[in-house]
Amino acid sequence: APSIGPKLLVLLSKSSGNIQQRTNQDRSLAMLKGKLMADDMEEVDGSDPNNKDRRNALFTISGIRGKYPQFFLQKSEAPEITFLG
């Protein structure tokens, strides 16, 4: 059954050339996947051209461009998205 609670959005880059950034992403995802159900988390690949508009919208919310991973909370009852860090 799909989740009806808040969803964690994880903005990441699957084609990042920065090894430290990739390590941080991998560690973060490993921890989250151990704690959350799959329906409670969504990965948004900022390097995918199909996600450009969504990536830019998330960058606008966070005020941080080009740094990955970034974490956001999207409440199910409202379209608003909150930047977590």
Side-chain angles (χ1 to χ4, degrees), residues 24-44:
N24 290 342
Q25 287 180 168
D26 291 346
R27 286 181 181 165
S28 298
L29 288 174
M31 286 190 299
L32 290 170
K33 287 179 179 177
K35 304 272 184 204
L36 298 173
M37 299 295 290
D39 287 344
D40 295 331
M41 185 174 78
E42 179 183 346
E43 295 177 28
V44 179

Side-chain angles (χ1 to χ4, degrees), residues 49-66:
N50 295 321
N51 292 332
K52 182 181 176 186
D53 290 341
R54 191 159 188 215
R55 176 200 69 203
N56 288 341
L58 293 172
F59 281 164
T60 298
I61 292 167
S62 71
I64 302 167
R65 297 187 73 81

Side-chain angles (χ1 to χ4, degrees), residues 7-15 25 29 33 41-59 67-72 74 81:
K7 179 178 279 194
L8 181 68
L9 301 177
V10 182
L11 178 62
L12 47 81
S13 175
K14 294 194 176 175
S15 68
Q25 287 180 168
L29 288 174
K33 287 179 179 177
M41 185 174 78
E42 179 183 346
E43 295 177 28
V44 179
D45 182 2
S47 65
D48 183 337
N50 295 321
N51 292 332
K52 182 181 176 186
D53 290 341
R54 191 159 188 215
R55 176 200 69 203
N56 288 341
L58 293 172
F59 281 164
K67 183 176 184 227
Y68 302 97
Q70 293 186 32
F71 303 93
F72 302 84
Q74 183 171 21
I81 297 174

Side-chain angles (χ1 to χ4, degrees), residues 15-27 68:
S15 68
S16 171
N18 181 323
I19 204 74
Q20 184 63 49
Q21 186 168 281
R22 189 169 304 176
T23 299
N24 290 342
Q25 287 180 168
D26 291 346
R27 286 181 181 165
Y68 302 97

